Amino acid sequence: MDLTPKVKFLGMTFDVTLMIGSVVSALIVMLIVFLLSRRLSVRPSGRQNVMEYIIDFISGITGMMLEKKESARYLSFALSTFLFILVANMLGVIVMITAQAHGPIPSLGITAADLKMTDTVSWFKSPTSDINVTVAMAGAIFLYSHFAGIAKSPLGYLQHYVKPYWWMLPIHIIDEVSKPATHALRLWANIFAGEVLILILREGMFYLTGVPLFVWMGFSLFVGCIQAYIFTVLAMVYIAQKVGEV
């Protein structure tokens, strides 16, 4: 595997590659939304049609889980989640930036021992290929869904854990704890495995691995789209279970 540069700040270690990938993904999402939503008109055409199609698509996701009035509140959340994960997944397949390190770089956490294994340093990869990112996103959604449920109906939120019988409380707790774990691992495992195979095929002889590489890259783009959809759907399911009827 390639080396990843890291910096330390306030006693914490930050992965530079992930920070670059996350910021670039967020900026691309902002740029896409900005360009597609400029000069809106009553008779949509071109870019506005694309934006309205995306919004209709996300509205379909939120509408499956919640009533119309309630689902509108979470439209922007679902849209941002879907676009960020989609762009992040795509960038990990299309763009992989590496460089050769000719000596230790202590400021980036690259030591002489690391260089004995490989001198290739990765500067860009999909943020969703790192389990820390997917766990952070799934964890944030997990906490938000519980806060939303408590804010809407504290008593109804608590009663959920003892329905239909009080002795099912431990089962409900185990179910709640497992949700962010499976939510995060599903996205991470698919994207990470795809990028690892791309790196393996990239290092092989082109006349043997060239065709499989391009085929796998195409399949990885498809998987990236599916995983963005699944992650967003599950996020809305978890929120809907706390704030309304699914």
Side-chain angles (χ1 to χ4, degrees), residues 5 21 25 30 32 41 51 58 69 73 91 94 102 118 124 138 153 161 165 167 184 187 204 211 214 221 227:
S25 298
M30 292 175 60
I32 290 173
S41 64
M51 191 67 211
I58 301 301
K69 184 178 180 180
R73 297 177 55 191
L91 288 178
I94 300 171
H102 300 288
T118 179
F124 192 94
S153 176
Y161 290 94
Y165 306 105
W167 50 264
L187 175 61
V211 173
F214 286 110
L221 291 174
Q227 289 304 314

Side-chain angles (χ1 to χ4, degrees), residues 17-238:
T17 308
L18 289 182
M19 290 192 294
I20 293 174
S22 299
V23 171
V24 170
S25 298
L27 290 176
I28 290 176
V29 170
M30 292 175 60
L31 182 62
I32 290 173
V33 174
F34 174 75
L35 293 177
L36 295 182
S37 60
R38 292 183 65 195
R39 300 176 181 177
L40 300 179
S41 64
V42 179
R43 295 181 179 179
S45 61
R47 293 175 298 182
Q48 186 175 338
N49 275 331
V50 175
M51 191 67 211
E52 291 191 2
Y53 173 78
I54 296 174
I55 292 176
D56 286 343
F57 176 70
I58 301 301
S59 295
I61 295 176
T62 58
M64 287 190 299
M65 316 301 168
L66 298 164
E67 295 180 358
K68 186 175 181 180
K69 184 178 180 180
E70 192 76 27
S71 67
R73 297 177 55 191
Y74 298 97
L75 178 60
S76 59
F77 164 79
L79 178 65
S80 301
T81 300
F82 175 78
L83 289 179
F84 176 80
I85 296 176
L86 178 65
V87 170
N89 292 349
M90 298 299 100
L91 288 178
V93 177
I94 300 171
V95 182
M96 286 189 180
I97 300 175
T98 59
Q100 299 296 316
H102 300 288
I105 311 175
S107 61
L108 295 178
I110 299 175
T111 64
D114 294 328
L115 294 176
K116 290 181 180 179
M117 295 183 292
T118 179
D119 61 352
T120 304
V121 180
S122 173
W123 284 101
F124 192 94
K125 66 179 181 179
S126 170
T128 49
S129 67
D130 189 282
I131 193 170
N132 296 293
V133 175
T134 59
V135 167
M137 291 192 298
I141 292 169
F142 171 77
L143 293 175
Y144 177 73
S145 65
H146 285 274
F147 286 138
I150 294 172
K152 183 174 181 180
S153 176
L155 182 60
Y157 170 82
L158 294 174
Q159 287 178 339
H160 161 75
Y161 290 94
V162 292
K163 286 183 177 181
Y165 306 105
W166 66 267
W167 50 264
M168 295 189 67
L169 175 62
I171 299 176
H172 283 300
I173 293 176
I174 293 173
D175 177 57
E176 293 297 333
V177 172
S178 66
K179 285 177 181 177
T182 56
H183 199 192
L185 290 174
R186 182 182 291 104
L187 175 61
W188 165 74
N190 281 276
I191 305 305
F192 175 74
E195 290 196 3
V196 168
L197 187 53
I198 288 174
L199 289 173
I200 294 174
L201 293 174
R202 189 185 66 179
E203 297 300 321
M205 293 177 288
F206 184 76
Y207 61 88
L208 291 177
T209 62
V211 173
L213 173 61
F214 286 110
V215 171
W216 183 255
M217 287 178 66
F219 180 71
S220 295
L221 291 174
F222 171 74
V223 170
C225 295
I226 296 299
Q227 289 304 314
Y229 173 77
I230 293 175
F231 192 93
T232 306
V233 168
L234 290 177
M236 290 309 306
V237 168
Y238 299 152

